[in-house]
Amino acid sequence: MLNTDDAGAPLPDTAEDSELDAQPEATAPKRNRKKRIVVATVAVVLLGGAIAFGTVLPDPKGSEAYQALADEKSTVEIERDAALSSYASVKGKYDTLQNGIASREAKVSTRETEVGKADAAVKSAEAAVKAREEAVTGAEKAKAANTVSDGTWTVGADIEPGTYRAAAAVGSTCYWGIYRSGSNGSDIIENDIPGGGRPVVTLSPGQDFNSTRCGKWEKQ
């Protein structure tokens, strides 16, 4: 604080005034400490009040809303457990079906393999039968081509040259004759009425052969 005289002129500072001017700077830290103490005290009071206030608040677990949520949660858990149980049951059936399908597929595959083998065997047998039939047919055709029945035949045109023998014993009415071709039976080379047995004839190109009531002749 500035000192003045009665006329308002400033007076020089005294030692006491110097002490007073220095006093606020010395007491500033003390004032800051007081403020911190006050703030801490207020904080403690507020905390204590909050704790005291919390002890008188109602328990949220006892509210209808909380109970409704708890009931809903319980219902959802029950439904979840039921769904899990249903899923487990369906999964078990599915696995069983899958195992059954796999087993049946394996059996089908085995059966297909067996059928394939059987089919191959059948085809092989059919081929063998066909070959035998063709062989028999060929033999029959060859035999038929080398078999002469009753009638008149031109050697080299109707029948093959060669030696022929009666297929069975002939009767007494059997007649055979060999003629020069184109003579209409007038130029006899050889003929016979064997009367029985199995007669044999040799035929050459340029000849006609006649068989009457002798049955069949087979080329030898």
Side-chain angles (χ1 to χ4, degrees), residues 6 40 75 80 122 138 144 212:
D6 294 337
T75 301
R80 179 203 61 193
V122 169
T212 303

Side-chain angles (χ1 to χ4, degrees), residues 196-213:
R198 297 178 62 188
V200 177
V201 297
T202 300
L203 305 177
S204 301
Q207 297 175 343
D208 291 340
F209 175 68
N210 173 260
S211 174
T212 303
R213 297 181 297 275

Side-chain angles (χ1 to χ4, degrees), residues 63-84:
S63 66
E64 293 181 359
Y66 181 89
Q67 189 60 43
L69 289 174
D71 293 341
E72 183 177 355
K73 176 177 177 292
S74 178
T75 301
V76 171
E77 288 177 345
I78 291 173
E79 293 176 351
R80 179 203 61 193
D81 294 341
L84 289 175

Side-chain angles (χ1 to χ4, degrees), residues 89-111:
S89 177
V90 172
K91 183 68 167 54
K93 292 179 181 179
Y94 172 81
D95 292 340
T96 300
L97 289 174
Q98 282 292 98
N99 293 333
I101 290 173
S103 177
R104 286 193 293 273
E105 286 178 347
K107 291 180 180 179
V108 169
S109 179
T110 301
R111 183 57 179 167

